[in-house]
Amino acid sequence: MSLINEDTIYHRTLSSGTIQVTRDQGEIAFDDLFDIAERRNPKRAFLFVSKVLGRHIPVSPSVMRRVYKQLASQFSISLPGPVLFIGMAETAVGLGAGVFDELRHQYSEAIYLTSTRHPVDGDLLCEFKEEHSHATDHLIYLPDDPEMRRFVTGARTLVLIDDEATTGNTFINLFSALRGTGRLACLEQVFAVTLTDWSQDALSDRCPLPVTSVSLVSGQWDWTPRPNAPVPVMPAVNVTSRGAWEMTGKQSWGRLGMTAPAGDLGHGISALNGERVLVLGTGEFVWEPFLLAERLEAEGAQVFYSSTTRSPIALGYAIESAISFTDNYGLGIPNFVYNVAHQQFDRVLLCTETPADSVDSQLLKALADVAPVVEIINYD
């Protein structure tokens, strides 16, 4: 990696081309916030890999919580309510929940929803596309609870949350889909929240409502492809469907609405002072596992948090190691754990919203190589 004037410019050459990022706003050093990797995706060759998100790089829960607070601190003390927060599957489900968690006491009527690629029983609010993604289709459901449903349909402030905005197209697609339902007629303003925002006010330029952008760093990017670079082959992960395994976990963290965290996963789990523990969420099931990781860290353990993902990323650059296995929802698609296989832990806690039998033995075998104790934590 080469850093040119590291306060304002990030420059990296990959096998498929060169990316340069220029800072406009924000004080956090680029190198503390993200690194770059190569996607196994012909639609976009590069990926911003967050060092604070807890998805592709294991990170301490306290670092993640600090990020939630930094983003939440940029909001006004009062906003027109109800306030509807929406986190983007799968990468920003936990980020969205964390920002919501920091702000929910500030607004008397606030609700968190997530998009999902796992259909559930409920009233579908809308569908939208994330065109550049390895999995393009998203679903958003209305809550079953009447009061939570009122918060959604009566929302006056909309807060959209994703890990990063490269072009702003996904936010635009989501906003258009929500407006197109005719069920959110009271909206007055929009907040677009990201860790890193390279979209150059794209949502503001195309949204009929006032837009406020919130991020840790914003700027612009420039990608120069390498001529004749091989086109990557993407695994078949573009699936939005019910799997063979039933989701036995509680739908209390976002798919059907959340007004307060349950915080009830792994109540019987404790940690020793100084114990090196890796807590892994799975797919979209990341918020309750994060709260477990945060509790264990408060008990004195040395905790790292990360998650499985369906995002196909090439080895190298920000990705030092990868574990490949079959998903635990019974969709038959590849899943991955990044930057874990080259490390060592005292214990791994793998948290799922599906039965223990749904976990691929290949994953358990790989995790057994990095820790003498591997436990599956769920609601069964």
Side-chain angles (χ1 to χ4, degrees), residues 204-216:
S204 298
D205 292 342
R206 296 168 59 183
C207 180
L209 300 180
V211 175
T212 300
S213 294
V214 172
S215 66
L216 299 181

Side-chain angles (χ1 to χ4, degrees), residues 94 104 172 238:
R104 62 189 173 89
I172 292 165
N238 188 15

Side-chain angles (χ1 to χ4, degrees), residues 16 37-47 117 130-136 223 230-235 237-238 310-314 338:
S16 52
E38 288 194 305
R39 296 175 185 263
R40 294 163 60 192
N41 183 339
K43 291 181 282 188
R44 183 178 292 170
F46 60 89
L47 176 71
R117 297 182 178 111
E130 184 181 3
E131 280 115 348
H132 70 275
S133 176
H134 52 277
T136 58
W223 171 253
V231 177
V233 176
M234 185 173 69
V237 296
N238 188 15
R310 65 170 73 183
S311 179
I313 313 173
Y338 296 111

Side-chain angles (χ1 to χ4, degrees), residues 8 32 97 103 122 139 157 168 172-173 234 241 273 332 362 376 380:
T8 58
D32 291 337
L103 290 168
L139 310 173
T157 299
I172 292 165
N173 291 350
M234 185 173 69
S241 178
N273 189 49
Q362 192 71 23
I376 298 174
D380 290 350

Side-chain angles (χ1 to χ4, degrees), residues 184-205:
L184 277 73
C186 300
L187 288 178
E188 298 175 10
Q189 62 177 333
V190 179
F191 283 75
V193 181
T194 54
L195 296 171
T196 54
D197 182 4
W198 319 118
S199 65
Q200 294 289 285
D201 296 322
L203 180 58
S204 298
D205 292 342

